[in-house]
């Protein structure tokens, strides 16, 4: 059986597809994402992998060793959920490549000297409940399960309700040290979200670091009123304050080398053309290699917003939704991966990943596959079929090495 990740991705290309090449909508526990979960379970089961879904909704597909011991396992995999309007590669490429790498290894008659697991992590994008890498944060204890149960989506459905509807017991979510103790190393393959490999003319890279990144919700409350009957001097318009937030974020990130600041959502209530809004809620996404710089930018933007709110007669509440410190991936593991893939350059990334969260619990690393557009979180995200194959081959070699050799990074 050849390892054909392209064919696997072709199979799911229609799931959660938005009309008019608008990309994908595959929020966690939605019908589309659940269809993708079923697709993965079907393929894993067809390959004789032992499949289980843990209490955090993470799917594990095991290529077990005789006797079934799972200590010292090598983990790979990624996520299947998407951002709204995202591409078909961010997440699914890592899952499809993991299945294909198993096919390649089996096709070569390889039998693992230690167990291999493919994991599918839920809510990596945080698109439905607002917290990125929710599944990996839960299993590693990086987030309070009580807080997670109460998270709500745009329809005010709680995570607990959505998880229960998807067949999980929400009372069971939370840290799982026993399961994590089985993992000796985690390698996630992911489409590159940037043009590093295009510029370097290489198909595959190793990940060096993920820069610090966080998300905040800025809620501005004013006074709803009539657009025509209300004099300008009598207004408390939260949208005017929101404009200052957006301006300040751009101004304060532009002057810091390597900083990134994004307002991706502006929710205006009630949202009528002839209505002065009563509230405006914005999302802040701020990133930089230095954590203190991220927090300083957020403080500066908050102060600017508060000044604008005071002069407009509005109130502001800024709430941190999630924060991920800079992660430098395990140097010893990366050295092993480099020995297996000597031509692969090392690239840092501005995108967060479950591997960045798991890095706190086990030596973790990443492989990036070239994306000719460099674009991501958009339908323009892509990877050439030959580079997808190169990624599968690279992952297969890395897994063969890790499943055969002991090293200092793993007990
Ligand atoms: O937002 C991110 O960096 C990732 O794609 N979840
Ligand atoms: Mn991703
Ligand atoms: Mn993403």
């Amino acid at each position: 059986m050849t390892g054909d990740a392209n064919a696997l991705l072709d199979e799911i290309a229609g799931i959660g597809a938005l009309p008019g090449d608008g990309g994908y909508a595959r929020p966690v526990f939605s019908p589309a994402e659940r269809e993708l979960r079923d697709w993965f379970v079907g393929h894993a089961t067809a390959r004789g992998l032992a499949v289980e879904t843990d209490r955090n909704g993470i799917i594990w597909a095991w290529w077990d060793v005789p006797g079934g011991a799972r200590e010292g396992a090598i983990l790979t995999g990624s996520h299947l959920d998407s951002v709204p309007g995202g591409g078909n590669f961010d997440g699914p490429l890592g899952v499809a490549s993991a299945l294909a790498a198993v096919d390649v290894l089996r096709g070569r008659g390889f039998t693992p000297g230690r167990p291999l697991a493919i994991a599918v992590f839920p809510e990596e994008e945080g698109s439905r409940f607002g917290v990125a890498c929710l599944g990996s944060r839960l299993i590693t204890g990086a987030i309070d399960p009580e807080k997670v149960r109460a998270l709500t989506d745009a329809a005010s459905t709680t995570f607990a309700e959505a998880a229960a509807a998807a067949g999980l017991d929400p009372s069971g979510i939370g840290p799982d040290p026993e399961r994590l103790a089985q993992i000796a190393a985690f390698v996630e393959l992911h489409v590159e979200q940037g043009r590093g490999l295009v510029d370097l003319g290489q198909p595959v890279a190793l990940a060096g670091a993920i820069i610090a990144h966080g998300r905040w919700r800025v809620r501005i409350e004013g006074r709803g009123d009539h657009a025509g009957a209300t004099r300008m001097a009598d207004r408390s318009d939260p949208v005017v304050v929101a404009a200052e937030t957006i301006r300040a974020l751009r101004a304060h990130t532009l002057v810091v080398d390597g900083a990134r600041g994004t307002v991706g959502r502006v929710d205006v209530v009630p949202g009528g053309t002839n209505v002065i809004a009563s509230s405006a809620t914005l999302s802040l996404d701020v990133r930089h290699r230095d954590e203190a710089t991220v927090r300083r930018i957020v403080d500066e933007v908050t102060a600017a917003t508060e000044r604008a709110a005071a002069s407009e007669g509005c109130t502001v509440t800024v709430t941190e939704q999630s924060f991920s410190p800079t992660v430098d991936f395990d140097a010893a593991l990366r050295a092993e991966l480099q020995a297996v893939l000597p031509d692969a350059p090392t690239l840092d990334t501005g995108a967060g990943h479950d591997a960045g969260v798991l890095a706190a619990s086990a030596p973790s690393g990443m492989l990036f596959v070239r994306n000719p557009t460099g674009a991501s979180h958009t339908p323009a995200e892509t990877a050439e079929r030959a580079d997808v194959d190169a990624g599968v081959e690279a992952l297969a070699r890395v897994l063969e090495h890790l499943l055969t050799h002991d090293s200092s990074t793993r007990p």
Side-chain angles (χ1 to χ4, degrees):
M1 183 184 280
T2 59
D4 192 344
N6 286 299
L8 289 167
L9 288 171
D10 290 347
E11 287 177 12
I12 60 171
I15 299 175
L18 294 169
D21 191 21
Y24 291 87
R26 298 164 166 172
V28 69
F29 302 141
S30 66
E33 196 246 5
R34 291 171 67 175
E35 191 178 344
L36 290 172
R37 287 167 159 265
D38 293 344
W39 163 82
F40 172 72
V41 170
H43 273 290
T45 306
R47 286 162 174 78
L49 305 181
V51 181
E52 56 186 358
T53 300
D54 73 11
R55 52 194 165 92
N56 289 307
I58 303 168
I59 306 173
W60 299 75
W62 290 90
W63 184 359
D64 280 316
V65 292
R70 290 190 168 162
E71 282 59 42
I74 301 300
L75 182 66
T76 188
S78 192
H79 63 95
L80 293 171
D81 65 298
S82 79
V83 295
N88 192 32
F89 294 85
D90 178 350
L93 180 63
V95 175
S97 299
L99 289 168
V102 166
D103 296 341
V104 167
L105 292 175
R106 282 194 173 148
R108 293 174 182 163
F110 176 76
T111 49
R114 51 170 74 216
L116 168 70
I118 303 175
V120 174
F121 293 94
E123 187 64 327
E124 188 278 342
E125 296 294 2
S127 295
R128 181 171 178 185
F129 294 102
V131 176
C133 298
L134 194 55
S136 49
R137 288 176 197 266
L138 275 169
I139 192 173
T140 57
I143 191 168
D144 175 4
E146 205 51 51
K147 173 185 172 186
V148 172
R149 278 186 278 270
L151 291 174
T152 56
D153 66 8
S156 301
T157 302
T158 65
F159 178 90
E161 290 162 343
L168 283 180
D169 169 8
S171 67
I173 62 174
D176 194 342
E178 296 78 24
R179 191 176 284 270
L180 287 175
Q182 295 173 334
I183 306 307
F186 175 39
V187 179
E188 179 176 1
L189 181 144
H190 203 282
V191 65
E192 187 194 350
Q193 295 160 305
R195 293 182 48 83
L197 282 168
V198 172
D199 297 342
L200 292 169
Q202 288 285 342
V204 174
L206 306 181
I210 297 176
I211 67 173
H213 54 286
R215 298 179 179 198
W216 288 260
R217 182 173 51 233
V218 179
R219 178 163 172 77
I220 305 160
E221 295 186 271
R223 190 178 64 255
D225 212 328
H226 193 294
T230 312
R231 297 185 311 161
M232 296 309 287
D234 297 336
R235 296 181 180 214
S236 295
D237 185 344
V239 177
V240 172
V241 178
E244 173 58 12
T245 303
I246 297 165
R247 184 207 61 78
L249 179 63
R250 175 56 66 94
H252 287 288
T253 42
L254 275 182
V255 295
V256 178
D257 184 36
R260 283 98 191 248
T262 310
V263 172
R265 289 185 62 169
V266 181
D267 298 315
V268 175
V269 174
T273 302
N274 55 355
V275 178
I276 301 171
S278 54
S279 73
T281 304
L282 301 92
S283 62
L284 285 191
D285 180 312
V286 182
R287 309 191 188 205
H288 190 270
R289 206 184 197 315
D290 174 50
E291 176 176 340
T293 299
V294 172
R295 295 195 180 280
R296 177 171 53 76
I297 290 171
V298 173
D299 290 345
E300 289 166 341
V301 173
T302 300
T305 304
E306 287 170 343
R307 285 193 297 273
S311 71
E312 184 68 22
C314 293
T315 60
V316 184
T317 310
V318 180
T319 310
E320 180 174 303
Q321 287 190 298
S322 68
F323 190 84
S324 306
T326 291
V327 170
D328 290 297
F329 283 113
D330 184 275
L333 176 61
R334 193 163 75 243
E336 284 191 72
L337 304 186
Q338 188 75 83
V340 175
L341 305 170
D343 297 335
T346 294
L347 296 173
D348 289 350
T349 180
H353 300 281
D354 291 306
V357 178
L358 264 290
S361 303
S364 297
M366 293 189 74
L367 302 182
F368 294 135
V369 173
R370 178 164 47 193
N371 170 351
T373 67
S376 185
H377 288 185
T378 159
E381 170 190 282
T382 189
E384 302 290 350
R385 298 179 84 85
D387 286 345
V388 168
D389 291 339
V392 169
E393 177 59 30
L395 183 61
R397 288 189 196 167
V398 159
L399 293 177
E400 183 176 13
H401 166 80
L402 294 172
L403 291 166
T404 305
H405 296 75
D406 288 325
S407 84
S408 59
T409 62
R410 291 181 300 287

